[in-house]
Amino acid sequence: MSNWTNNRTKIEFDAFSTYSNRNPHLFRIKMRSRKILIIAGFLTTWTFITYYFLIRSSTMYPQKHSLLLQKLNKLEHESRIENMENSKLLGQLIDIVKKKITSDDIEEPKPHKDSKDRPVGIVALRQDHYLGVQEKREGNENEDERQQNAEEDSGKDSKILKPTITYMPNGEPVIPILVIACNRVSIRKCLDNLVQYRPNADQFPIIVSQDCGDQQTKKAILSYESQVTLIEQPDQTDILTPPREKKFKGYYKIARHYGWALNTTFQRGYEYVVIVEDDLNVAPDFYEYFLGTHALLKDDPSLWCVSAWNDNGKDKFIDNTKPELLYRTDFFPGLGWMLSKNLWQELSVKWPKSFWDDWIRHPEQRKERACIRPEISRTRTFGKIGVSNGLFFDKYLKFIKLSEHFVHFSKMNLTYLLRENYDRVF
């Protein structure tokens, strides 16, 4: 049986070999057809498998997408509720702040019988509050005269006060000295200088604007009685700052104080104001310097301030033989400086929340305008301790030389500082 099987297999193989040898072309065609059938079958199978998974996926993803939309809708609804609650809380906070400010705007206190203890204008100024050269009341004014004056004014809608004097009889402007104060009892050094060198109390009223509410400093200011006018910044509420700027909160309060003090002073009609910090000493010709240069601000629109400070005013960098020499500078010096009402109207609408002295040096504020500054400084700081923690004081600020000469700037021809003249020389 096995022999027969082997013989049959051999015969079939021989027949196949004989067929392939005799018809090689037909044999290749037949083999190619088989390959094509195999490939076609594979592709068909792959197509069905792919189609199956695609159909399955298309039935699953809509469910996931629907769940995702539901979660997003829920988050959106919760965020809207949270925003509404935050808006409500913010409104309540604003109402509280408004009530606080309103409660601070109290009536001006009545004068004490003892003139030494009488406060001088310690209120947030109203439009009808007088802040100029005040009329002196006689010390022997009796109660009957006061009652009579009250009866005369009783039928009037508002209290009639003497208008603020903004110009002297000779045509020169009244230039108030606005002293920015907080909690330095050493303000006496500053006020002693200002009072000592002041040539005319009518032309240069000293207005001290105090923030912080420090009682010892307030007492020191009031000790000058009628020589100065004290006003107090009424908003003592805390300032909300970003967490990373919490350590700079003092600079936020300073900017708020400056804005309020300048608004309060300029609203009385003054054309110019000189700002002095409470840690500055002034030179003997401090007032004369501003009296001689104020006209430059009026005549030259390319000027926007006059400063009494020279940032490079160390003794080795200045010419001590030329105390009368003045320059134009593109850099805002500060530390005892004068600005006009027109400039304040421009800056007040965009006054910053903090770091006002850096902000004012930006090109958007300066607008290619210059300041006048002296060869030798007319101010010098003694404020080692403050918001800046004495930054640069020991290495720099205390070495700035203060002028000891008196220069009659108001009698000098300063037209060389006008832009058209100055640019031809420098």
Side-chain angles (χ1 to χ4, degrees), residues 4-180:
W4 183 82
T5 303
N6 292 333
N7 290 333
R8 183 179 178 183
T9 302
K10 183 178 180 181
I11 292 170
E12 290 178 353
F13 178 76
D14 290 340
F16 177 77
S17 298
T18 301
Y19 174 79
S20 60
N21 290 331
R22 290 180 179 178
N23 300 285
H25 180 67
L26 294 174
F27 175 75
R28 284 195 294 271
I29 292 174
K30 187 175 182 179
M31 294 300 295
R32 189 179 298 170
S33 299
R34 289 182 179 179
K35 291 180 180 179
I36 292 173
L37 290 174
I38 293 173
I39 292 172
F42 176 76
L43 291 175
T44 302
T45 305
W46 177 259
T47 300
F48 277 109
I49 293 173
T50 304
Y51 180 75
Y52 170 76
F53 282 108
L54 287 175
I55 293 298
R56 183 181 179 186
S57 299
S58 64
T59 58
M60 292 176 63
Y61 284 136
Q63 297 177 356
K64 294 182 179 180
H65 183 67
S66 177
L67 291 174
L68 182 60
L69 286 177
Q70 291 178 4
K71 291 181 179 179
L72 289 175
N73 291 333
K74 183 178 179 181
L75 288 174
E76 182 180 2
H77 179 69
E78 292 177 352
S79 65
R80 288 179 179 177
I81 295 176
E82 189 70 21
N83 286 335
M84 292 175 62
E85 293 179 354
N86 291 338
S87 299
K88 184 177 179 181
L89 291 175
L90 180 60
Q92 294 175 354
L93 179 60
I94 292 174
D95 291 339
I96 293 173
V97 173
K98 288 181 177 179
K99 291 179 181 178
K100 174 64 178 176
I101 295 175
T102 303
S103 64
D104 286 337
D105 292 335
I106 58 176
E107 293 296 326
E108 185 175 1
K110 296 181 180 180
H112 297 291
K113 293 182 180 180
D114 187 357
S115 61
K116 293 183 179 181
D117 296 329
R118 178 175 60 84
V120 185
I122 312 172
V123 290
L125 291 188
R126 305 181 303 274
Q127 286 291 340
D128 62 346
H129 182 86
Y130 178 65
L131 186 62
V133 183
Q134 301 186 10
E135 295 179 340
K136 297 181 180 179
R137 294 185 178 181
E138 297 295 332
N140 59 356
E141 182 182 7
N142 56 45
E143 201 64 27
D144 294 337
E145 292 174 344
R146 295 179 186 175
Q147 182 66 27
Q148 182 179 357
N149 292 335
E151 291 175 357
E152 291 176 355
D153 292 337
S154 61
K156 301 176 182 179
D157 294 336
S158 60
K159 185 178 180 181
I160 297 178
L161 297 171
K162 182 179 178 180
T164 301
I165 298 176
T166 56
Y167 281 89
M168 302 297 292
N170 62 1
E172 293 180 346
V174 174
I175 305 176
I177 310 300
L178 178 60
V179 182
I180 303 296

Side-chain angles (χ1 to χ4, degrees), residues 216-231:
Q216 292 299 318
T217 304
K218 178 179 175 181
K219 183 178 180 181
I221 298 168
L222 290 177
S223 68
Y224 289 84
E225 298 182 347
S226 61
Q227 295 182 96
V228 304
T229 297
L230 172 63
I231 58 176

